[in-house]
Amino acid sequence: MFLTCEGTFGIVPATMDYNGEARPGDFHAGYQEIEGINLGYLQINGTQMFALAQVLSDLFKDIPRTTISKKMETLKIKSRRCDLKELRTLKAINSVPTRAVKCSLISKADLEALCPSCKSLSPRR
């Protein structure tokens, strides 16, 4: 079950171009409770994106990663690599470990498709 966003962490300062307008690709960070777990997200170009590492370690902690990967392939879910600015923001909101050097992101829509598919694999809480 997906719940509404409980609030945002803050807005990442926009990068301005020479005429004073914000460039595309700016984002902000926040938290959303999903399945009773608070996950950090980045709002990028209008899409909520979650750190796949946090999703795997917190939301699907009892399911092998290979099983999740196979489910993602079956559902045609693609993740995307985050850039350095996004990675630093995810570290600041404790969504990925500070030692992380790279991170993949998954959209909220894809996560909503993945959750029911993996819920049946997880032992009862």
Side-chain angles (χ1 to χ4, degrees):
M1 170 173 68
F2 284 77
L3 300 175
T4 58
C5 178
E6 294 189 346
T8 58
F9 176 73
I11 295 180
V12 175
T15 306
M16 300 297 215
D17 65 10
Y18 65 93
N19 62 4
E21 293 180 11
R23 286 191 281 196
D26 295 326
F27 57 90
H28 73 270
Y31 294 97
Q32 180 161 0
E33 186 176 327
I34 298 173
E35 301 286 332
I37 297 170
N38 238 2
L39 297 177
Y41 70 86
L42 299 177
Q43 184 88 19
I44 304 170
N45 297 327
T47 304
Q48 275 188 340
M49 302 292 286
F50 295 89
L52 190 56
Q54 185 180 30
V55 168
L56 294 173
S57 67
D58 294 357
L59 196 57
F60 301 133
K61 63 183 170 191
D62 298 325
I63 304 170
R65 289 180 183 229
T66 53
T67 304
I68 301 295
S69 293
K70 288 177 187 174
K71 286 285 183 186
M72 287 176 67
E73 279 181 37
T74 303
L75 296 169
K76 295 182 174 41
I77 293 173
K78 301 279 186 193
S79 61
R80 82 156 179 86
R81 186 70 52 92
C82 65
D83 63 25
L84 186 59
K85 187 176 171 185
E86 294 163 347
L87 179 63
R88 287 180 178 155
T89 303
L90 289 168
K91 288 179 182 183
I93 64 171
N94 297 316
S95 288
V96 296
T98 55
R99 67 184 182 281
V101 293
K102 58 185 176 180
C103 178
S104 294
L105 299 171
I106 183 173
S107 72
K108 181 179 179 184
D110 287 341
L111 185 56
E112 287 173 338
L114 188 60
C115 274
S117 180
C118 293
K119 199 173 191 178
S120 62
L121 303 172
S122 172
R124 301 279 178 214
R125 293 182 192 174

